[in-house]
Amino acid sequence: MVLNYIWIAFFIIAFIFAVIGLLMGDTTVFQKIVDSTFDSSKTAFETSLGLTGVLALWLGIMKIGEKAGAVNALARMLSPVFTKLFPDIPKNHPAMGSMFMNIASNILGLDNAATPTGLKAMAQLQELNPKKDTATNPMIMFLVLNTSGLTIIPTTILAFRASYGAAMPTDVFIPILLSTTIATLAGIVLTLLWQKTSLLQPALLATLGGIVAFVGLLIWGFGRMDKDTMGTVTSVASNLILLGVIVAFILAGLWKRVNVYDAFIEGAKEGFTTAVRIIPYLVAILVAVGVFRASGAMDMLIGDIRRGVELLGLNGDFVGGLPTAFMKPLSGSGARGMMLEAMKTYGADSFVGRLSCILQGSTDTTFYILAVYFGSVSIKYTRHAVACGLLADLIGTISAITICYIFF
């Protein structure tokens, strides 16, 4: 229901702003909004179409892993930890392995692998769902882990900074790691509290502490490298892990005497049907975001915040980076455009330019992920998923701004 009200609000607010704009003499505002609906619909379809090949590939690989027992083996390895985060999932259920593959792909910045494995995990979680149109607690926790966006290799952001002439493109690497870790931990804690799960469990505390220690170790290791070495290590590690998973699943299939080709084809067929199924959900959310932007509501919101901050006598340098923060939960491509616009306008090495990059890497596209993942299994009632996801986004945004002031 929350998503329903937010979706309606986008259109109502956009219409009000458009009427105001027309009264003030902007005769093209309605044309801009209508054009944005067509552009956004086209983008939604092209996005889904673009996912088809990747979904077919990775769902095919995952099917090989399932039949070879590799996914179940991952589930057994993760059972002590995941049973605390997902107490409603039966021990050693295959969904554990799929969720691990998804989370690991996100952490490594392997977006192409993350979405298909995430959709596979959602399908497996839906099998355990007694109310097929309502999100379960495990689904919500899994979605929050995705929307909080823990990523330790923000390769794309670093590449954009280099292309925009940053003197040291990797100078935002550690700030991004810190802010995305805070957002993820906040998302986990908020969701556990909302679901009335006790935090005072040794395995759970050890897991959260392990995440902090692991990221800290990575920060220390990458902090000792120069930018060229860091770029080489991240590129090699990401692609090695990606190819290693494919080869490992195929070899496991051969070991178990699985017909790996037939298994791949069986899984790949699911990729096409999944891509088609998410089109309406993508159209709905991207059109709403496009209308909101085209009406000028986003620009007005940013301007009001800037004036409010200045009236309070506070440092308003961060306001220039807020468009990226506001757009990030709504649209990944939109937030990327805001980040690039900030670097173009203020400079890649300016405070706003760096802040926009940190904001881009601190969280993920909450509404996009909710639309795609819940849409793939026809979930209508998302319960507290939107609230937990947006609260984690808010904490990630605040931490990103604070960390940027500390570093720069």
Side-chain angles (χ1 to χ4, degrees), residues 48 55 64 112 148 165 171 193-194 268 297 381:
S48 180
L55 285 171
I64 295 172
N112 287 344
S148 57
D171 58 5
L193 291 174
W194 204 303
Y381 304 104

Side-chain angles (χ1 to χ4, degrees), residues 49-126:
L49 190 66
L51 283 173
T52 305
V54 176
L55 285 171
L57 169 64
W58 280 99
L59 291 181
I61 295 297
M62 288 295 291
K63 182 61 71 174
I64 295 172
E66 282 181 25
K67 294 197 171 185
V71 174
N72 285 332
L74 281 173
R76 287 192 296 271
M77 290 171 55
L78 292 168
S79 185
V81 173
F82 272 32
T83 51
K84 305 302 180 184
L85 290 177
F86 304 96
D88 296 333
I89 300 178
K91 188 177 181 181
N92 299 331
H93 191 275
M96 297 287 195
S98 298
M99 287 191 292
F100 171 77
M101 293 289 295
N102 167 265
I103 294 168
S105 298
N106 276 323
I107 288 174
L108 295 169
L110 307 176
D111 296 336
N112 287 344
T115 300
T117 52
L119 293 175
K120 183 65 177 179
M122 286 296 289
Q124 292 167 330
L125 292 175
Q126 180 71 335

Side-chain angles (χ1 to χ4, degrees), residues 140-221:
I140 294 172
M141 174 60 80
F142 179 57
L143 263 292
V144 171
L145 285 173
N146 271 269
T147 61
S148 57
L150 179 61
T151 302
I152 62 173
I153 307 179
T155 308
T156 304
I157 295 174
L158 302 184
F160 276 127
R161 284 187 55 73
S163 68
Y164 273 72
M168 186 180 294
T170 57
D171 58 5
V172 298
F173 178 75
I174 291 178
I176 288 175
L177 273 179
L178 291 173
S179 59
T180 190
T181 301
I182 292 171
T184 300
L185 291 175
I188 291 173
V189 172
L190 285 168
T191 306
L192 288 173
L193 291 174
W194 204 303
Q195 297 175 356
K196 298 180 180 180
T197 302
S198 174
L199 296 174
L200 302 178
Q201 303 177 62
L204 186 56
L205 292 174
T207 301
L208 298 179
I211 293 174
V212 174
F214 177 66
V215 173
L217 181 63
L218 287 171
I219 291 173
W220 176 81

Side-chain angles (χ1 to χ4, degrees), residues 327-343:
M327 190 54 61
K328 185 64 177 180
L330 304 173
S331 167
S333 59
R336 188 180 303 114
M338 295 294 186
M339 177 189 73
L340 298 179
E341 182 65 26
M343 286 196 288

Side-chain angles (χ1 to χ4, degrees), residues 14 18 20 30 48-49 79 87 105 118 131 139 177 196 221-222 224 314 356 359 385 400:
I20 294 173
F30 282 101
S48 180
L49 190 66
S79 185
S105 298
K131 297 178 65 176
M139 285 180 175
L177 273 179
K196 298 180 180 180
F222 281 115
R224 297 170 66 88
L314 301 176
S356 295
L359 289 167

